[in-house]
Amino acid sequence: ETGVTQSPTHLIKTRGQQVTLRCSSQSGHNTVSWYQQALGQGPQFIFQYYREEENGRGNFPPRFSGLQFPNYSSELNVNALELDDSALYLCASSLYGGRGEKLFFGSGTQLSVL
Amino acid sequence: DAKTTQPPSMDCAEGRAANLPCNHSTISGNEYVYWYRQIHSQGPQYIIHGLKNNETNEMASLIITEDRKSSTLILPHATLRDTAVYYCIVRVGLNNDMRFGAGTRLTVKP
């Protein structure tokens, strides 16, 4: 148990729709990172939020956006869903403090786009 | 694109040490090496990380070569519950851009 919770656990959407995924970080952590994991592959970094601002982004289009709230919880929003967006979406929280940070992952949200 | 190379799979006998290798020949001087593992349908679990020196914690030991181009994760007494995909990762930059590769699928056998 990492203390990082994600909701919902599973979600089914159709192409073109929009989706919001939620993450509650571990107590004491101030940074949230989001990852996408396609079937059979390792997770890919989407972006990171610190102090309610995005401060790092991977190779994902602008239709992937996020928010971080004052209590450090976070949302991932994906607009105009495509079939390739079907994946496990992982949230990880950490305490921002340089290169030695440890990430604590939630169990993820399994998104299926039909 | 991952900065690490790992064997796709390994087997280990229960109770024996599991030694998982990783190559990271393009690592920069200030980039950390992290190890995580992922058991089916769960999020990755942090194991250990290091920069230059060998590290040990309650889960594992990390041996980093002097030139930092490779490392080995050691699980001293593998159990069936250690069966998982193990990721060796180099953290790029100051944010949590962790470049996961395909990992090593470790199977611990009775």
Side-chain angles (χ1 to χ4, degrees):
Chain A
E1 287 291 328
T2 62
V4 179
T5 58
Q6 294 186 241
S7 63
T9 55
H10 296 81
L11 200 52
I12 299 174
K13 292 286 189 177
T14 56
R15 192 170 49 183
Q17 285 188 313
Q18 178 265 343
V19 68
T20 297
L21 310 181
R22 295 178 175 82
C23 173
S24 294
S25 58
Q26 183 171 314
S27 177
H29 286 179
N30 56 13
T31 302
V32 174
S33 307
W34 286 90
Y35 286 79
Q36 180 195 66
Q37 186 173 24
L39 190 63
Q41 299 180 20
Q44 284 196 327
F45 176 69
I46 302 175
F47 44 54
Q48 171 183 304
Y49 276 81
Y50 171 63
R51 291 184 175 177
E52 301 177 48
E53 291 191 1
E54 183 183 299
N55 76 333
R57 190 178 186 93
N59 188 25
F60 281 82
R63 61 188 184 85
F64 285 78
S65 63
L67 286 172
Q68 186 183 31
F69 300 101
N71 67 353
Y72 305 121
S73 66
S74 177
E75 288 182 353
L76 165 65
N77 299 290
V78 186
N79 294 321
L81 283 167
E82 300 177 359
L83 298 179
D84 285 348
D85 295 334
S86 295
L88 179 67
Y89 288 85
L90 295 160
C91 164
S93 76
S94 60
L95 183 62
Y96 188 83
R99 299 180 185 276
E101 286 178 57
K102 304 174 190 177
L103 296 183
F104 294 86
F105 284 84
S107 295
T109 294
Q110 185 66 54
L111 173 65
S112 297
V113 182
L114 306 179
Chain B
D1 43 326
K3 296 184 68 172
T4 61
T5 304
Q6 300 176 254
S9 64
M10 293 181 63
D11 291 342
C12 178
E14 187 179 19
R16 304 297 292 270
N19 296 279
L20 290 86
C22 179
N23 287 320
H24 32 80
S25 58
T26 62
I27 194 170
S28 298
N30 56 0
E31 290 177 335
Y32 280 77
V33 177
Y34 285 76
W35 283 83
Y36 282 76
R37 71 181 183 185
Q38 188 171 26
I39 297 169
H40 182 62
S41 78
Q42 296 181 20
Q45 177 191 22
Y46 168 83
I47 302 173
I48 200 167
H49 74 283
L51 182 62
K52 296 179 182 177
N53 300 320
N54 298 337
E55 302 287 345
T56 296
N57 63 20
E58 65 278 5
M59 289 183 68
S61 294
L62 174 61
I63 308 298
I64 302 174
T65 58
E66 193 168 342
D67 63 8
R68 301 211 328 122
K69 293 185 176 182
S70 65
S71 61
T72 300
L73 177 74
I74 302 172
L75 307 178
H77 305 286
T79 71
L80 299 178
R81 288 180 294 180
D82 291 324
T83 292
V85 177
Y86 286 77
Y87 295 101
C88 169
I89 305 154
V90 170
R91 183 180 169 189
V92 177
L94 293 176
N95 59 39
N96 289 319
D97 185 358
M98 309 283 265
R99 303 287 176 88
F100 287 77
T104 296
R105 182 172 297 278
L106 175 69
T107 303
V108 180
K109 298 184 175 181

